[in-house]
Amino acid sequence: MANKNRSSPSPTTPKLMETNGFSLMNEDLLRNILSRLPATSFASAATVSKTWNAACCHILSRPKFSSAISLKPLPLVALQEVFDKVMSEPIRPHFAIASVGPGFEIKDVLQFMVEKVGSRTPIIVSSVKGILGRDALSHEFREVKWIDGNIDEVPVNTGIVLTVGFVPGLKVDVIPLLRQRKAPQGSMTDKFVQDIKSYTSSMSGCTSPQAIIMIGDGSVDQKPILEKLDYAMSMETIIVGDERGQFVYRSSDVSRNVSTNKKHSPDAVALVFARDRNKACGIGNIEFHFALSKGVSAIGPRLKAASVRVQDSYTVTWLTARREGQQEILDGQQMLEDIDNEMENNMDCVDLYIGVTRRRNCSVGSDKPRMMTTLALHGIEGGDSEYLYVDGVGIRTGDYFQFYHSDPKTALSSSRSVSSTLRKLKLDWDSKSSLSKSTIINAVDKKEAFGGFIFSCLGRGESFFGQLNVDSSPFLDNFPGVPVAGTFCGGEIGRGCTSLTANGDEGGSARCHLHAYSTVYLVMSYTPPEH
């Protein structure tokens, strides 16, 4: 007969577990168990006791970058699949970026992410032309583009790449450029730049962040915005992103989460990475590294804009030009015929641009203006017996320009150069680690890459190069196993130190931050603290 006084068994609570058998575990075993938990369970485990919290903090003492793609035809299934993958290991998201195909409703994706990672986590969701990353289930690396609703020539228009990052020692937030309908763009751009500087100053004590990932609205000219950012930020600040996107966002600062309405609309959004002035002891340093593979080549003589017209209702510039040192006025038809002759009648096989060298005074707010020389690329719309027609505005009479064309040979050579410079970067990290240590280097003590982003032109990819994964290979070959996420863009934002840039003849001494037929790389590295 059963003992009537014996109490019935009850579920074991985490607290009871900790005060009974689990308290007898040694530290290594506890960490081993906790490190195998998915992110949600890991977060719960950290609240069990001080001992468990300390173990969890030790597990996440280094930065972590988790990314995955899914091409499942049902958007919700694809979204759940990538979320489960990126959250399958311990991580505390400091930011999240989702890039999706045309089959997704970006507002629905944002709402899903807010519910899953919390309203205080900075989030950007953007609709893109294609994605790069590892499949959530097969782990195969994929480069895919959507063209007219097709992906890899399969009639599917859904796909997503999701990235979450844990970056101890940094502060991260989303800052939008909110345009008021009746306010001039210049004043709102100044406020955008000042908001970034103010946020960075409050977090780090300096006004320039380490890096910015920026998504621009496709209907807004991003050139003046990038020029002001270039003016205001130190040379060490890296800026990368997509010039022509469609996006929604969530900032940890509720006051910045203004919905698009009749009074406000976001022209751009910036994910800002600033140093944390209150970084805890025992946390190492995160650095950002920029590289650029170019894909255009200059052709023809240097020209000077002779007359410039802009129709108020269009974002197209009409212009004529002179050859340098000559007085003859060239119309659009003459200029294009000259370029076609130089290309041996192959002009129809490439995309054409003009690169305009602009010398302009630039300032932000009440700051002292400074003369800046930039190279602005404008796509060729056509030409006739009167004018050359180019995309965009901002060209003035007297500006010098030169024609550029998309060039897969230049792009392939530049891509190989980027791969070589990234390889040298890794060797430099290894050599410095060896010099600073008198004993054999432990893998956990080395400076190493832990994640990265790729922003590549929609015109590149397999159809451009005739081979797969050219745009991702510089990262994959040098940092095997390191998570990386990427998108195909309608215009690539890339501003950073030129030491890792495969320099071609684009721009000469002029600074160019909005590129064409390029691939921009952002590598994130971590150096452990000195023991």
Side-chain angles (χ1 to χ4, degrees), residues 63 146 254 318 365:
W146 294 279
V254 177
W318 307 2

Side-chain angles (χ1 to χ4, degrees), residues 51-242:
T51 301
W52 283 37
N53 183 268
C56 290
C57 289
H58 183 273
I59 292 168
L60 281 182
S61 60
R62 299 169 68 91
K64 194 162 188 179
F65 187 98
S66 186
S67 182
I69 72 170
S70 175
L71 304 177
K72 291 293 175 62
L74 295 177
L76 185 58
V77 173
L79 177 56
Q80 188 67 56
E81 185 174 272
V82 292
F83 181 81
D84 290 345
K85 178 61 179 178
V86 300
M87 301 293 280
S88 63
E89 296 179 356
I91 193 169
R92 293 169 179 160
H94 286 163
F95 67 89
I97 301 177
S99 302
V100 302
F104 284 82
E105 290 291 338
I106 56 177
K107 290 184 178 180
D108 293 345
V109 178
L110 178 64
Q111 183 61 38
F112 176 95
M113 292 301 300
V114 169
E115 292 174 358
K116 295 293 187 180
V117 301
S119 60
R120 304 292 292 181
T121 302
I123 304 168
I124 297 177
V125 180
S126 64
S127 180
V128 297
K129 306 297 184 181
I131 55 177
L132 304 88
R134 291 201 178 278
D135 188 273
L137 298 182
S138 71
H139 307 296
E140 176 188 1
F141 196 89
R142 301 288 302 275
E143 290 185 4
V144 291
K145 295 187 294 182
W146 294 279
I147 301 176
D148 297 327
N150 294 335
I151 182 169
D152 282 353
E153 299 185 357
V154 176
V156 173
N157 61 0
T158 58
I160 178 173
V161 57
L162 175 64
T163 301
V164 297
F166 171 72
V167 283
L170 298 181
K171 290 291 187 179
V172 190
D173 206 357
V174 172
I175 298 178
L177 194 173
L178 293 174
R179 174 168 47 92
Q180 295 179 358
R181 299 296 186 184
K182 296 183 179 181
Q185 187 191 42
S187 64
M188 300 311 297
T189 300
D190 286 0
K191 184 180 184 304
F192 174 60
V193 175
Q194 289 164 347
D195 285 348
I196 293 174
K197 293 175 67 176
S198 296
Y199 169 76
T200 306
S201 178
S202 67
M203 295 296 117
S204 66
C206 65
T207 58
S208 291
Q210 281 194 282
I212 297 171
I213 296 177
M214 179 172 158
I215 311 295
D217 184 290
S219 64
V220 177
D221 185 5
Q222 300 295 316
K223 293 182 179 69
I225 302 171
L226 265 294
E227 286 174 3
K228 284 183 178 284
L229 282 171
D230 185 40
Y231 164 89
M233 302 298 158
S234 74
M235 291 296 294
E236 286 71 34
T237 298
I238 293 170
I239 307 175
V240 300
D242 184 353

